[in-house]
Coordinates of all heavy atoms in Angstrom, one line a residue:
M1 N -35.6 -234.7 -25.2 CA -35.0 -233.5 -24.8 C -35.1 -232.4 -26.0 O -35.3 -231.3 -25.7 CB -33.5 -233.8 -24.5 CG -32.8 -232.6 -24.0 SD -33.4 -232.3 -22.3 CE -32.2 -231.3 -21.7
E2 N -34.9 -233.0 -27.2 CA -35.0 -232.0 -28.4 C -36.4 -231.5 -28.5 O -36.6 -230.3 -28.9 CB -34.6 -232.8 -29.6 CG -34.5 -231.9 -30.8 CD -34.0 -232.7 -32.0 OE1 -33.1 -233.5 -31.9 OE2 -34.6 -232.4 -33.1
N3 N -37.5 -232.3 -28.2 CA -38.8 -231.8 -28.2 C -39.0 -230.6 -27.2 O -39.7 -229.7 -27.5 CB -39.8 -232.9 -28.0 CG -39.9 -233.8 -29.2 OD1 -39.6 -233.4 -30.3 ND2 -40.4 -235.1 -29.0
I4 N -38.5 -230.8 -26.0 CA -38.6 -229.7 -25.0 C -37.9 -228.5 -25.5 O -38.4 -227.4 -25.3 CB -38.0 -230.3 -23.7 CG1 -38.8 -231.4 -23.1 CG2 -37.9 -229.1 -22.7 CD1 -38.3 -232.1 -21.9
E5 N -36.7 -228.6 -26.1 CA -36.0 -227.4 -26.6 C -36.8 -226.7 -27.7 O -36.9 -225.5 -27.7 CB -34.6 -227.8 -27.1 CG -33.6 -228.2 -26.0 CD -32.3 -228.6 -26.6 OE1 -32.1 -228.6 -27.8 OE2 -31.5 -229.0 -25.8
N6 N -37.4 -227.5 -28.6 CA -38.2 -226.9 -29.7 C -39.4 -226.3 -29.0 O -39.9 -225.2 -29.5 CB -38.6 -228.0 -30.6 CG -37.5 -228.5 -31.5 OD1 -36.5 -227.7 -31.7 ND2 -37.6 -229.7 -32.0
L7 N -40.0 -226.9 -28.1 CA -41.2 -226.3 -27.4 C -40.8 -225.0 -26.7 O -41.6 -224.0 -26.8 CB -41.8 -227.3 -26.4 CG -43.1 -226.9 -25.7 CD1 -44.2 -226.7 -26.8 CD2 -43.5 -227.9 -24.7
L8 N -39.7 -224.9 -26.0 CA -39.3 -223.7 -25.4 C -39.0 -222.6 -26.4 O -39.3 -221.5 -26.2 CB -38.0 -224.0 -24.5 CG -38.2 -224.7 -23.2 CD1 -36.9 -225.1 -22.6 CD2 -39.1 -223.9 -22.3
L9 N -38.3 -223.0 -27.5 CA -38.0 -222.0 -28.6 C -39.3 -221.4 -29.2 O -39.4 -220.2 -29.4 CB -37.2 -222.7 -29.7 CG -35.7 -222.8 -29.3 CD1 -35.0 -223.6 -30.5 CD2 -35.0 -221.5 -29.1
E10 N -40.3 -222.3 -29.3 CA -41.6 -221.9 -29.9 C -42.3 -220.9 -28.9 O -42.8 -219.9 -29.4 CB -42.5 -223.1 -30.1 CG -43.6 -222.8 -31.0 CD -43.2 -222.4 -32.4 OE1 -42.2 -222.9 -33.0 OE2 -43.9 -221.5 -32.9
H11 N -42.2 -221.2 -27.7 CA -42.8 -220.3 -26.6 C -42.0 -218.9 -26.6 O -42.7 -217.9 -26.5 CB -42.8 -220.9 -25.2 CG -43.9 -221.9 -25.0 ND1 -45.2 -221.6 -25.0 CD2 -43.8 -223.2 -24.8 CE1 -45.9 -222.6 -24.8 NE2 -45.1 -223.7 -24.7
L12 N -40.7 -219.0 -26.7 CA -39.9 -217.8 -26.7 C -40.2 -216.9 -28.0 O -40.4 -215.7 -27.9 CB -38.4 -218.1 -26.7 CG -37.9 -218.6 -25.3 CD1 -36.4 -219.0 -25.5 CD2 -38.0 -217.5 -24.3
K13 N -40.4 -217.5 -29.1 CA -40.8 -216.8 -30.3 C -42.2 -216.2 -30.1 O -42.4 -215.0 -30.6 CB -40.9 -217.8 -31.5 CG -39.5 -218.2 -32.0 CD -39.7 -219.1 -33.2 CE -38.3 -219.7 -33.7 NZ -38.5 -220.7 -34.7
R14 N -43.1 -216.8 -29.5 CA -44.4 -216.2 -29.3 C -44.4 -215.1 -28.3 O -45.0 -214.0 -28.6 CB -45.4 -217.3 -28.8 CG -45.8 -218.3 -29.8 CD -46.8 -219.3 -29.2 NE -47.0 -220.4 -30.3 CZ -47.7 -221.5 -30.0 NH1 -48.1 -221.7 -28.8 NH2 -47.8 -222.4 -30.9
F15 N -43.6 -215.2 -27.3 CA -43.4 -214.1 -26.4 C -42.8 -212.9 -27.0 O -43.1 -211.7 -26.9 CB -42.5 -214.5 -25.2 CG -43.2 -215.4 -24.2 CD1 -42.6 -216.5 -23.6 CD2 -44.5 -215.1 -23.8 CE1 -43.2 -217.3 -22.7 CE2 -45.2 -215.9 -22.8 CZ -44.5 -217.0 -22.3
Q16 N -41.8 -213.2 -27.9 CA -41.1 -212.1 -28.6 C -42.1 -211.4 -29.6 O -42.1 -210.2 -29.6 CB -39.9 -212.7 -29.4 CG -38.8 -211.8 -29.7 CD -37.6 -212.5 -30.3 OE1 -37.8 -213.6 -30.9 NE2 -36.4 -212.0 -30.1
E17 N -42.9 -212.2 -30.3 CA -43.9 -211.6 -31.1 C -44.9 -210.7 -30.4 O -45.3 -209.6 -30.8 CB -44.6 -212.7 -31.9 CG -43.7 -213.4 -33.0 CD -44.4 -214.6 -33.5 OE1 -45.6 -215.0 -33.1 OE2 -43.8 -215.3 -34.4
A18 N -45.3 -211.3 -29.2 CA -46.2 -210.5 -28.4 C -45.6 -209.2 -27.9 O -46.2 -208.1 -27.8 CB -46.7 -211.3 -27.2
Q19 N -44.3 -209.3 -27.5 CA -43.6 -208.1 -27.1 C -43.5 -207.1 -28.2 O -43.7 -205.9 -28.0 CB -42.2 -208.5 -26.6 CG -41.4 -207.3 -26.0 CD -40.1 -207.6 -25.5 OE1 -39.7 -208.8 -25.6 NE2 -39.3 -206.7 -25.1
V20 N -43.3 -207.5 -29.4 CA -43.2 -206.6 -30.5 C -44.5 -205.9 -30.7 O -44.6 -204.7 -31.0 CB -42.7 -207.3 -31.8 CG1 -43.0 -206.5 -33.0 CG2 -41.3 -207.7 -31.7
R21 N -45.6 -206.6 -30.6 CA -47.0 -206.0 -30.7 C -47.2 -205.0 -29.6 O -47.7 -203.9 -29.9 CB -48.0 -207.1 -30.7 CG -48.2 -207.9 -32.0 CD -49.4 -208.7 -32.0 NE -49.6 -209.6 -30.9 CZ -49.1 -210.9 -30.8 NH1 -48.4 -211.4 -31.8 NH2 -49.3 -211.6 -29.7
V22 N -46.8 -205.3 -28.4 CA -47.0 -204.4 -27.3 C -46.2 -203.1 -27.5 O -46.7 -202.0 -27.3 CB -46.6 -205.1 -25.9 CG1 -46.5 -204.0 -24.9 CG2 -47.6 -206.1 -25.6
E23 N -45.0 -203.3 -28.0 CA -44.1 -202.1 -28.3 C -44.7 -201.2 -29.3 O -44.7 -200.0 -29.3 CB -42.7 -202.6 -28.6 CG -41.9 -203.1 -27.5 CD -40.6 -203.8 -27.9 OE1 -40.3 -203.9 -29.1 OE2 -39.8 -204.1 -26.9
R24 N -45.2 -201.8 -30.4 CA -45.9 -201.1 -31.5 C -47.1 -200.3 -30.9 O -47.3 -199.1 -31.3 CB -46.3 -202.0 -32.6 CG -45.2 -202.4 -33.5 CD -45.6 -203.3 -34.6 NE -44.5 -203.9 -35.4 CZ -44.6 -205.0 -36.0 NH1 -45.7 -205.7 -36.0 NH2 -43.5 -205.5 -36.6
K25 N -47.9 -201.0 -30.1 CA -49.0 -200.3 -29.6 C -48.6 -199.2 -28.7 O -49.3 -198.1 -28.7 CB -49.9 -201.4 -28.8 CG -51.2 -200.9 -28.4 CD -52.1 -200.7 -29.7 CE -53.5 -200.3 -29.3 NZ -54.3 -200.0 -30.5
L26 N -47.6 -199.4 -27.9 CA -47.1 -198.3 -27.0 C -46.6 -197.1 -27.8 O -46.9 -195.9 -27.5 CB -46.0 -198.9 -26.1 CG -45.3 -197.9 -25.1 CD1 -46.4 -197.3 -24.2 CD2 -44.2 -198.5 -24.3
E27 N -46.0 -197.4 -28.9 CA -45.5 -196.3 -29.8 C -46.7 -195.5 -30.3 O -46.7 -194.3 -30.4 CB -44.6 -196.8 -30.9 CG -43.3 -197.3 -30.5 CD -42.5 -198.0 -31.7 OE1 -43.0 -198.0 -32.8 OE2 -41.4 -198.4 -31.4
E28 N -47.7 -196.2 -30.7 CA -48.9 -195.6 -31.2 C -49.6 -194.7 -30.2 O -50.0 -193.6 -30.4 CB -49.9 -196.7 -31.8 CG -51.2 -196.1 -32.2 CD -52.3 -197.1 -32.5 OE1 -52.0 -198.4 -32.5 OE2 -53.4 -196.8 -32.7
I29 N -49.7 -195.3 -29.0 CA -50.4 -194.6 -27.9 C -49.5 -193.3 -27.6 O -50.1 -192.3 -27.3 CB -50.5 -195.5 -26.7 CG1 -51.6 -196.5 -27.0 CG2 -50.9 -194.7 -25.4 CD1 -51.7 -197.7 -25.9
T30 N -48.2 -193.5 -27.5 CA -47.3 -192.3 -27.3 C -47.5 -191.2 -28.3 O -47.6 -190.0 -28.0 CB -45.9 -192.8 -27.2 OG1 -45.7 -193.8 -26.2 CG2 -45.0 -191.6 -26.9
R31 N -47.6 -191.6 -29.6 CA -47.8 -190.7 -30.7 C -49.2 -190.0 -30.5 O -49.3 -188.8 -30.6 CB -47.7 -191.4 -32.0 CG -47.6 -190.5 -33.2 CD -47.3 -191.3 -34.5 NE -48.0 -192.6 -34.6 CZ -47.5 -193.8 -34.5 NH1 -46.2 -193.9 -34.1 NH2 -48.2 -194.9 -34.6
R32 N -50.2 -190.7 -30.2 CA -51.5 -190.2 -30.1 C -51.6 -189.2 -28.9 O -52.2 -188.1 -28.9 CB -52.6 -191.3 -29.9 CG -52.7 -192.0 -31.2 CD -53.7 -193.2 -31.1 NE -55.0 -192.7 -30.9 CZ -56.1 -193.4 -30.6 NH1 -55.9 -194.8 -30.5 NH2 -57.3 -192.9 -30.5
L33 N -50.9 -189.6 -27.8 CA -50.9 -188.7 -26.6 C -50.2 -187.4 -26.9 O -50.6 -186.3 -26.5 CB -50.2 -189.4 -25.4 CG -50.0 -188.6 -24.1 CD1 -51.4 -188.2 -23.6 CD2 -49.3 -189.5 -23.1
S34 N -49.1 -187.5 -27.7 CA -48.4 -186.3 -28.1 C -49.3 -185.3 -28.9 O -49.3 -184.1 -28.7 CB -47.1 -186.6 -28.9 OG -46.2 -187.3 -28.1
N35 N -50.1 -186.0 -29.8 CA -51.0 -185.2 -30.6 C -52.1 -184.5 -29.7 O -52.4 -183.3 -29.9 CB -51.7 -186.0 -31.6 CG -50.7 -186.4 -32.8 OD1 -49.7 -185.8 -33.0 ND2 -51.1 -187.5 -33.4
L36 N -52.6 -185.2 -28.7 CA -53.5 -184.7 -27.8 C -52.9 -183.5 -27.0 O -53.6 -182.5 -26.8 CB -54.0 -185.7 -26.8 CG -55.0 -186.8 -27.4 CD1 -55.3 -187.9 -26.4 CD2 -56.3 -186.1 -27.8
E37 N -51.7 -183.7 -26.5 CA -51.1 -182.6 -25.8 C -50.8 -181.4 -26.6 O -51.0 -180.2 -26.2 CB -49.7 -183.1 -25.2 CG -49.9 -184.1 -24.1 CD -48.6 -184.7 -23.7 OE1 -47.6 -184.7 -24.4 OE2 -48.6 -185.2 -22.5
A38 N -50.5 -181.6 -27.9 CA -50.3 -180.5 -28.8 C -51.7 -179.7 -29.0 O -51.7 -178.5 -29.0 CB -49.7 -180.9 -30.1
G39 N -52.7 -180.5 -29.2 CA -54.0 -179.9 -29.4 C -54.5 -179.1 -28.2 O -55.0 -178.1 -28.3
Q40 N -54.2 -179.7 -27.0 CA -54.5 -179.0 -25.8 C -53.8 -177.7 -25.6 O -54.3 -176.7 -25.2 CB -54.2 -179.9 -24.6 CG -54.6 -179.3 -23.2 CD -54.2 -180.2 -22.1 OE1 -53.3 -181.0 -22.2 NE2 -54.8 -180.1 -21.0
G41 N -52.5 -177.7 -26.0 CA -51.7 -176.5 -26.0 C -52.3 -175.4 -26.9 O -52.4 -174.2 -26.5
S42 N -52.8 -175.9 -28.0 CA -53.4 -174.9 -29.0 C -54.7 -174.3 -28.4 O -54.9 -173.1 -28.5 CB -53.6 -175.6 -30.3 OG -52.5 -176.0 -31.0
L43 N -55.5 -175.2 -27.8 CA -56.7 -174.7 -27.2 C -56.4 -173.7 -26.1 O -57.1 -172.7 -26.0 CB -57.5 -175.9 -26.7 CG -58.2 -176.7 -27.7 CD1 -58.8 -178.0 -27.1 CD2 -59.3 -175.9 -28.5
I44 N -55.5 -174.0 -25.2 CA -55.2 -173.1 -24.1 C -54.7 -171.8 -24.7 O -55.1 -170.7 -24.2 CB -54.1 -173.8 -23.2 CG1 -54.7 -174.9 -22.5 CG2 -53.5 -172.7 -22.3 CD1 -53.7 -175.8 -21.7
Q45 N -53.9 -171.8 -25.7 CA -53.4 -170.5 -26.3 C -54.6 -169.8 -26.9 O -54.7 -168.6 -26.7 CB -52.4 -170.9 -27.4 CG -51.7 -169.7 -28.0 CD -50.7 -170.1 -29.1 OE1 -50.8 -171.1 -29.7 NE2 -49.7 -169.2 -29.2
H46 N -55.5 -170.4 -27.6 CA -56.7 -169.8 -28.2 C -57.5 -169.1 -27.1 O -58.0 -168.0 -27.2 CB -57.5 -170.8 -29.0 CG -58.7 -170.2 -29.7 ND1 -58.5 -169.3 -30.7 CD2 -60.0 -170.4 -29.5 CE1 -59.7 -169.0 -31.1 NE2 -60.6 -169.6 -30.4
I47 N -57.7 -169.9 -26.0 CA -58.5 -169.3 -24.9 C -57.8 -168.1 -24.3 O -58.5 -167.1 -23.9 CB -58.7 -170.4 -23.8 CG1 -59.7 -171.5 -24.3 CG2 -59.3 -169.8 -22.5 CD1 -59.8 -172.8 -23.5
G48 N -56.5 -168.1 -24.2 CA -55.8 -167.0 -23.7 C -56.0 -165.8 -24.6 O -56.2 -164.6 -24.1
H49 N -56.0 -166.0 -25.9 CA -56.2 -164.9 -26.9 C -57.6 -164.3 -26.7 O -57.9 -163.1 -26.7 CB -56.0 -165.3 -28.3 CG -54.5 -165.6 -28.6 ND1 -53.5 -164.6 -28.4 CD2 -53.9 -166.6 -29.2 CE1 -52.4 -165.1 -28.8 NE2 -52.6 -166.4 -29.3
M50 N -58.6 -165.2 -26.5 CA -60.0 -164.8 -26.3 C -60.1 -164.0 -25.0 O -60.8 -162.9 -25.1 CB -60.9 -166.0 -26.3 CG -61.1 -166.7 -27.7 SD -62.1 -168.2 -27.6 CE -63.6 -167.6 -26.8
A51 N -59.5 -164.4 -24.0 CA -59.6 -163.7 -22.7 C -58.9 -162.3 -22.9 O -59.5 -161.3 -22.3 CB -58.9 -164.5 -21.6
S52 N -57.9 -162.2 -23.6 CA -57.2 -161.0 -23.9 C -58.1 -160.0 -24.6 O -58.3 -158.8 -24.3 CB -55.9 -161.2 -24.6 OG -55.3 -159.9 -24.9
S53 N -58.8 -160.5 -25.6 CA -59.7 -159.7 -26.4 C -60.9 -159.3 -25.6 O -61.3 -158.1 -25.7 CB -60.3 -160.6 -27.6 OG -59.3 -160.8 -28.5
I54 N -61.4 -160.1 -24.7 CA -62.5 -159.8 -23.9 C -62.0 -158.6 -22.9 O -62.8 -157.6 -22.7 CB -63.0 -161.0 -23.1 CG1 -63.7 -161.9 -24.1 CG2 -64.0 -160.6 -21.9 CD1 -64.1 -163.3 -23.4
A55 N -60.9 -158.7 -22.4 CA -60.3 -157.7 -21.5 C -60.2 -156.4 -22.2 O -60.5 -155.3 -21.6 CB -59.0 -158.2 -20.9
Q56 N -59.7 -156.4 -23.4 CA -59.6 -155.2 -24.2 C -60.9 -154.5 -24.4 O -61.1 -153.3 -24.3 CB -58.8 -155.4 -25.5 CG -57.4 -155.7 -25.4 CD -56.8 -156.1 -26.7 OE1 -57.5 -156.4 -27.7 NE2 -55.5 -156.1 -26.7
G57 N -61.9 -155.4 -24.7 CA -63.3 -154.8 -24.9 C -63.8 -154.2 -23.6 O -64.5 -153.2 -23.7
Q58 N -63.5 -154.8 -22.5 CA -64.0 -154.3 -21.2 C -63.3 -152.9 -20.9 O -63.9 -152.0 -20.4 CB -63.7 -155.3 -20.1 CG -64.3 -154.9 -18.8 CD -65.8 -154.7 -18.9 OE1 -66.5 -155.6 -19.4 NE2 -66.4 -153.6 -18.4
V59 N -62.0 -152.8 -21.2 CA -61.3 -151.6 -21.0 C -61.9 -150.5 -21.9 O -62.1 -149.3 -21.4 CB -59.8 -151.7 -21.4 CG1 -59.1 -150.4 -21.5 CG2 -59.1 -152.6 -20.3
Q60 N -62.3 -150.8 -23.2 CA -62.9 -149.8 -24.0 C -64.2 -149.4 -23.5 O -64.6 -148.2 -23.5 CB -63.0 -150.4 -25.5 CG -61.7 -150.5 -26.2 CD -61.9 -151.1 -27.6 OE1 -62.9 -151.8 -27.8 NE2 -60.9 -150.8 -28.4
A61 N -65.0 -150.4 -23.0 CA -66.3 -150.1 -22.5 C -66.2 -149.2 -21.2 O -67.0 -148.2 -21.1 CB -67.1 -151.4 -22.1
D62 N -65.2 -149.5 -20.4 CA -65.0 -148.6 -19.2 C -64.7 -147.2 -19.6 O -65.1 -146.2 -19.0 CB -63.9 -149.2 -18.3 CG -64.3 -150.5 -17.6 OD1 -65.5 -150.8 -17.6 OD2 -63.4 -151.2 -17.2
H63 N -63.9 -147.1 -20.7 CA -63.4 -145.8 -21.2 C -64.6 -145.0 -21.7 O -64.8 -143.8 -21.4 CB -62.4 -145.9 -22.3 CG -61.9 -144.6 -22.8 ND1 -61.1 -143.7 -22.2 CD2 -62.1 -144.1 -24.1 CE1 -60.9 -142.7 -22.9 NE2 -61.5 -142.9 -24.1
F64 N -65.5 -145.7 -22.4 CA -66.7 -145.0 -22.9 C -67.6 -144.6 -21.7 O -68.2 -143.5 -21.8 CB -67.5 -145.9 -23.9 CG -66.9 -146.0 -25.2 CD1 -66.7 -147.3 -25.8 CD2 -66.4 -144.9 -25.9 CE1 -66.1 -147.4 -27.0 CE2 -65.9 -145.0 -27.2 CZ -65.7 -146.3 -27.8
D65 N -67.7 -145.4 -20.7 CA -68.5 -145.0 -19.6 C -68.0 -143.8 -18.9 O -68.8 -142.9 -18.5 CB -68.5 -146.2 -18.5 CG -69.5 -147.3 -18.9 OD1 -70.3 -147.1 -19.8 OD2 -69.3 -148.4 -18.3
Q66 N -66.7 -143.7 -18.8 CA -66.1 -142.5 -18.2 C -66.3 -141.3 -19.0 O -66.6 -140.2 -18.5 CB -64.6 -142.7 -18.0 CG -64.2 -143.7 -17.0 CD -62.7 -144.1 -17.0 OE1 -61.9 -143.6 -17.9 NE2 -62.3 -144.9 -16.1
R67 N -66.2 -141.4 -20.3 CA -66.5 -140.3 -21.2 C -67.9 -139.8 -21.1 O -68.2 -138.6 -21.1 CB -66.1 -140.7 -22.7 CG -64.6 -140.8 -22.9 CD -64.3 -141.2 -24.3 NE -64.7 -140.0 -25.2 CZ -64.8 -140.1 -26.5 NH1 -64.5 -141.3 -27.1 NH2 -65.1 -139.1 -27.2
L68 N -68.8 -140.8 -21.1 CA -70.3 -140.5 -21.0 C -70.6 -139.8 -19.7 O -71.3 -138.8 -19.7 CB -71.1 -141.8 -21.1 CG -72.6 -141.6 -21.0 CD1 -73.1 -140.7 -22.2 CD2 -73.3 -142.9 -21.1
E69 N -69.9 -140.2 -18.6 CA -70.1 -139.5 -17.3 C -69.7 -138.1 -17.3 O -70.3 -137.2 -16.8 CB -69.4 -140.3 -16.2 CG -70.1 -141.6 -15.8 CD -69.3 -142.4 -14.8 OE1 -68.4 -141.8 -14.2 OE2 -69.6 -143.6 -14.6
R70 N -68.5 -137.9 -18.0 CA -68.0 -136.5 -18.1 C -68.9 -135.6 -18.9 O -69.2 -134.5 -18.6 CB -66.6 -136.5 -18.7 CG -65.5 -136.9 -17.8 CD -64.1 -136.5 -18.4 NE -63.9 -137.1 -19.7 CZ -63.2 -138.1 -20.0 NH1 -62.4 -138.7 -19.0 NH2 -63.0 -138.5 -21.2
I71 N -69.4 -136.2 -20.0 CA -70.3 -135.4 -20.9 C -71.6 -135.1 -20.1 O -72.1 -133.9 -20.2 CB -70.7 -136.2 -22.1 CG1 -69.4 -136.3 -23.0 CG2 -71.9 -135.6 -22.9 CD1 -69.6 -137.3 -24.2
E72 N -72.2 -136.1 -19.4 CA -73.4 -135.8 -18.6 C -73.1 -134.7 -17.5 O -74.0 -133.9 -17.3 CB -73.9 -137.1 -17.9 CG -74.5 -138.1 -18.9 CD -74.8 -139.4 -18.2 OE1 -74.3 -139.7 -17.1 OE2 -75.6 -140.1 -18.8
R73 N -72.0 -134.7 -16.9 CA -71.7 -133.7 -15.9 C -71.6 -132.3 -16.5 O -72.1 -131.4 -16.0 CB -70.3 -134.0 -15.2 CG -70.5 -134.9 -14.0 CD -69.2 -134.9 -13.2 NE -68.1 -135.3 -14.1 CZ -67.3 -136.3 -14.0 NH1 -67.5 -137.2 -13.0 NH2 -66.4 -136.6 -14.8
R74 N -70.9 -132.3 -17.7 CA -70.8 -131.0 -18.3 C -72.2 -130.4 -18.8 O -72.4 -129.2 -18.8 CB -69.9 -131.1 -19.6 CG -68.5 -131.2 -19.3 CD -67.6 -131.3 -20.5 NE -66.2 -131.5 -20.2 CZ -65.3 -131.9 -21.0 NH1 -65.7 -132.1 -22.3 NH2 -64.1 -132.1 -20.7
L75 N -73.0 -131.4 -19.2 CA -74.4 -130.9 -19.7 C -75.4 -130.8 -18.5 O -76.5 -130.5 -18.7 CB -74.9 -131.9 -20.8 CG -74.1 -131.9 -22.0 CD1 -74.7 -133.0 -23.0 CD2 -74.1 -130.5 -22.7
E76 N -74.9 -131.2 -17.3 CA -75.7 -131.2 -16.1 C -76.9 -132.1 -16.3 O -78.0 -131.8 -16.0 CB -76.1 -129.8 -15.7 CG -74.9 -128.9 -15.3 CD -75.3 -127.5 -15.0 OE1 -76.5 -127.2 -15.1 OE2 -74.4 -126.8 -14.6
I77 N -76.6 -133.3 -16.9 CA -77.7 -134.3 -17.0 C -77.5 -135.3 -15.9 O -76.4 -135.8 -15.7 CB -77.5 -135.0 -18.4 CG1 -77.7 -134.0 -19.5 CG2 -78.6 -136.1 -18.5 CD1 -77.4 -134.6 -20.9
S78 N -78.6 -135.6 -15.2 CA -78.4 -136.6 -14.1 C -78.5 -138.0 -14.7 O -79.4 -138.3 -15.6 CB -79.4 -136.4 -13.0 OG -80.7 -136.5 -13.6
G79 N -77.6 -138.9 -14.3 CA -77.6 -140.2 -14.9 C -78.3 -141.2 -14.1 O -78.9 -141.8 -13.6

C-alpha cells in the first residue's frame, strides 16, 4: 500500500511540474502576443500618418492645378 501511495505522489509531482512548465510557456506566449499587438498598433498608426501626408500632398497638387488653370484662362492659353 505504501508503494502505491509513493507511486501516486511521484505521479502527482510530475503532473505538477508539467503544469508549472505549461503555465510558464503560457505566460511567455501571452507576453509575446502583447508585444506583437503593440507593434501592430504602431504600424497602423504609422500607416495612418502616411495616408494623411499623401492626402495633404494631393490637396496641394489639386490647388496647383486650379491655379494653373486660372493662369491659362487669363493668358488665354489652351490646355
Side-chain angles (χ1 to χ4, degrees):
M1 188 68 163
E2 190 175 318
N3 286 339
I4 293 174
E5 288 177 5
N6 286 338
L7 185 60
L8 285 173
L9 284 175
E10 197 60 38
H11 281 295
L12 287 174
K13 286 179 185 178
R14 288 182 187 166
F15 285 137
Q16 207 171 25
E17 290 169 359
Q19 182 179 358
V20 167
R21 285 193 303 272
V22 168
E23 288 172 352
R24 284 184 188 149
K25 192 66 174 174
L26 181 59
E27 287 173 3
E28 176 190 348
I29 290 169
T30 302
R31 191 171 42 254
R32 292 175 70 186
L33 179 60
S34 294
N35 289 338
L36 286 172
E37 289 172 337
Q40 182 183 24
S42 294
L43 286 173
I44 289 170
Q45 187 178 27
H46 183 68
I47 290 169
H49 290 306
M50 288 175 56
S52 176
S53 294
I54 290 170
Q56 287 175 346
Q58 188 60 47
V59 167
Q60 287 177 341
D62 291 344
H63 180 69
F64 286 131
D65 283 345
Q66 291 170 354
R67 289 180 67 193
L68 181 60
E69 287 175 14
R70 281 195 307 252
I71 291 169
E72 288 175 340
R73 271 192 308 243
R74 284 182 185 165
L75 295 176
E76 297 179 357
I77 300 172
S78 60

